[in-house]
Amino acid sequence: MTKQAERRSIILDILSKQPRASVETLCESTGASAATVRRDLQQLAERGEIERIRGGAQSAGASPALNGTPFQRNFTVAVPEKRAIAKAAAEMTVDGETIIVDAGTTTYFMCPYLAGRNLQVLTNSLPIVDELLSDSTVRLHVPAGQVYREQNIILSPFEEDGTSGYAATKMFMGAYAVTELGVEQVDAILVQAEQRLLSRARELIVLADSRKLRDRGGMVVTALGAVSRVITDEGADEAIVRHLEDEGVAVTIVSPQLSR
């Protein structure tokens, strides 16, 4: 068996056991360079044996997925910090207003603090809808689009997703990262969807635990100038907080104890 055939056999074997794999993962498994793996993926895709996705590949016919960490895996990370951030965010809402709550695990933790409130909530998050569905005081709205199961989110690749008629006072958004360039994500479809939602809100409040202030996402959703406030936790780097404040972004720092 040639080295090329051996690499492709490894790639196909990996994708037979899991629906998707990144180029980085395939490089580690095959010992090949990223350029070599991408060439293999392209040729396998042309033969219909796999499907290319941004940053890697998926088995042919696999359900759509986004780049980034699946919802259920991210759900268990930094939970006390996320709860405290979410509580502080919910306390910034006012009864009677229309808000946008973007999908994500930190925004999901807002649900217990939104329950029983007189609010209209536009969200693309299936878990948020499920959590608030039984609450008759919260009026729920969802955009049109396709369901991405791993992230439990509704997204549309098209410009019109049914949200153009909304006028929200605030949008609460999570992020893959908050950097000097702005709020960042790792998937182009997610970026486009969040930008559409953002265009329907007067104020953007970003919920980001301190890890997110050290990460890099690679795709900018919006510059810092569009961010009204960042809510983060006590682990946030002081230099990063100062930079945000110098850029005109208000920063709220919470303690995990506040969520208890």
Side-chain angles (χ1 to χ4, degrees), residues 143-211:
Q146 184 171 1
V147 173
Y148 288 75
R149 289 180 175 84
E150 285 191 355
Q151 281 77 14
N152 286 326
I153 189 173
I154 304 168
L155 295 176
S156 172
F158 307 110
E159 283 300 318
E160 182 49 56
D161 60 359
T163 62
S164 59
Y166 288 89
T169 51
K170 301 179 182 76
M171 178 174 175
F172 296 91
M173 183 168 71
Y176 190 90
V178 179
T179 74
E180 69 281 0
L181 296 178
V183 182
E184 297 186 14
Q185 290 287 5
V186 292
D187 192 283
I189 294 178
L190 185 57
V191 168
Q192 292 168 2
E194 288 184 331
Q195 288 173 341
R196 283 196 297 271
L197 290 174
L198 180 55
S199 72
R200 312 317 307 163
R202 295 184 177 91
E203 181 182 0
L204 174 61
I205 299 173
V206 177
L207 286 61
D209 65 75
S210 54
R211 298 171 304 125

Side-chain angles (χ1 to χ4, degrees), residues 38-53:
R38 289 192 182 96
R39 284 196 297 272
D40 288 338
L41 295 180
Q42 183 60 38
Q43 292 177 17
L44 287 169
E46 289 172 357
R47 285 157 37 183
E49 297 185 65
I50 65 165
E51 294 176 5
R52 290 298 309 274
I53 59 174

Side-chain angles (χ1 to χ4, degrees), residues 14-247:
I14 290 171
L15 290 174
S16 72
K17 297 173 181 175
Q18 61 187 65
R20 294 162 200 93
S22 66
V23 169
E24 182 180 1
T25 296
L26 296 174
C27 287
E28 292 174 357
S29 300
T30 62
S33 68
T36 298
V37 166
R38 289 192 182 96
R39 284 196 297 272
D40 288 338
L41 295 180
Q42 183 60 38
Q43 292 177 17
L44 287 169
E46 289 172 357
R47 285 157 37 183
E49 297 185 65
I50 65 165
E51 294 176 5
R52 290 298 309 274
I53 59 174
R54 186 176 180 276
Q58 66 182 18
S59 54
S63 59
L66 302 173
N67 291 312
T69 307
F71 182 90
Q72 292 301 329
R73 192 188 313 165
N74 210 20
F75 187 76
T76 60
V77 178
V79 172
E81 290 81 3
K82 290 177 180 179
R83 287 191 188 278
I85 291 168
K87 181 180 180 182
E91 290 172 350
M92 294 176 184
T93 62
V94 178
D95 279 357
E97 70 180 344
T98 297
I99 62 173
I100 299 172
V101 183
D102 191 34
T105 53
T106 310
T107 50
Y108 170 80
F109 283 117
M110 292 177 67
C111 290
Y113 310 110
L114 296 178
R117 302 285 304 280
N118 177 23
L119 296 166
Q120 288 200 74
V121 177
L122 170 62
T123 183
N124 54 8
S125 166
L126 294 175
I128 290 175
V129 169
D130 185 57
E131 189 72 20
L132 295 176
L133 193 58
S134 61
D135 190 332
S136 61
T137 64
V138 176
R139 285 158 289 172
L140 290 168
H141 306 266
V142 295
Q146 184 171 1
V147 173
Y148 288 75
R149 289 180 175 84
E150 285 191 355
Q151 281 77 14
N152 286 326
I153 189 173
I154 304 168
L155 295 176
S156 172
F158 307 110
E159 283 300 318
E160 182 49 56
D161 60 359
T163 62
S164 59
Y166 288 89
T169 51
K170 301 179 182 76
M171 178 174 175
F172 296 91
M173 183 168 71
Y176 190 90
V178 179
T179 74
E180 69 281 0
L181 296 178
V183 182
E184 297 186 14
Q185 290 287 5
V186 292
D187 192 283
I189 294 178
L190 185 57
V191 168
Q192 292 168 2
E194 288 184 331
Q195 288 173 341
R196 283 196 297 271
L197 290 174
L198 180 55
S199 72
R200 312 317 307 163
R202 295 184 177 91
E203 181 182 0
L204 174 61
I205 299 173
V206 177
L207 286 61
D209 65 75
S210 54
R211 298 171 304 125
K212 305 295 183 68
L213 273 59
R214 298 189 294 268
D215 290 339
R216 290 288 186 272
M219 293 186 178
V220 177
V221 178
T222 188
L224 291 178
V227 180
S228 169
R229 182 178 299 274
V230 169
I231 309 176
T232 189
D233 62 80
E234 294 172 322
D237 184 272
E238 292 183 6
I240 298 174
V241 171
R242 283 197 302 271
H243 177 75
L244 291 172
E245 293 174 334
D246 289 344
E247 292 294 320

